[in-house]
Amino acid sequence: MTPTSLRRLLAAAKTTQRRAHAPYSKFRVGAALLTKSGKIYTGCNVENASYGLTICAERVAITKAVSEGHRHFEAIVVVCPSAKPTPCGACRQFLAEFGDMTVICADSRNGKRVQIYRLAELLPHAFEL
Ligand code: THU
């Protein structure tokens, strides 16, 4: 990934983070997913009064991309106000459905805190049917 595409992905994730619907947790998450064909799909968390119905930012990005015909992903950027802004376990499994990819995690309170992982490193032994 070039520094330019990393910057574009981070900017897209931050813009989308502002659109989060998080009135219950007040914890806003933004995601930007890069397809192997170079397109970017974004997502934010969408909470619900029935808490368990909440959808995470990463899953919104994946479902948007898949519903537009994309299944091959290069990387996902996740931005949230945490020192450990890694995707939750459910999202790791949801991402792993589409193979390994780079996972870039950024703390929106500190622009310099960016961690880069491979999904397989965050979720070894993913469930397979
Ligand atoms: N959340 C995400 O959007 N992605 C994750 O990987 C972890 C958690 C959201 C769900 C909920 O709206 C808020 O963060 C607090 O858990």
Side-chain angles (χ1 to χ4, degrees):
M1 153 141 6
T2 64
T4 312
S5 61
L6 176 56
R7 263 197 300 277
R8 277 182 59 213
L9 278 175
L10 278 165
K14 282 180 191 160
T15 298
T16 311
Q17 182 190 25
R18 288 187 223 115
R19 301 185 187 131
H21 176 67
Y24 307 106
S25 73
K26 317 267 189 232
F27 189 83
R28 293 170 179 270
V29 186
L33 180 67
L34 178 67
T35 69
K36 289 213 163 139
S37 58
K39 281 188 141 246
I40 295 176
Y41 287 89
T42 58
C44 60
N45 50 330
V46 183
E47 298 186 346
N48 191 273
S50 176
Y51 293 175
L53 299 183
T54 292
I55 309 176
C56 292
E58 299 90 325
R59 280 182 277 165
V60 170
I62 286 273
T63 50
K64 282 170 69 180
V66 171
S67 64
E68 296 291 323
H70 297 273
R71 284 157 190 250
H72 303 288
F73 306 115
E74 184 93 38
I76 187 163
V77 167
V78 183
V79 175
C80 60
S82 166
K84 264 205 154 182
T86 49
C88 73
C91 285
R92 293 178 198 195
Q93 177 68 37
F94 205 82
L95 293 167
E97 179 74 15
F98 301 98
D100 202 12
M101 66 186 81
T102 302
V103 180
I104 299 157
C105 306
D107 181 352
S108 47
R109 302 163 311 175
N110 177 351
K112 293 195 185 82
R113 201 179 279 154
V114 175
Q115 294 143 342
I116 303 181
Y117 304 96
R118 293 295 290 174
L119 179 59
E121 170 192 357
L122 292 177
L123 185 69
H125 313 292
F127 173 74
E128 283 176 41
L129 202 59

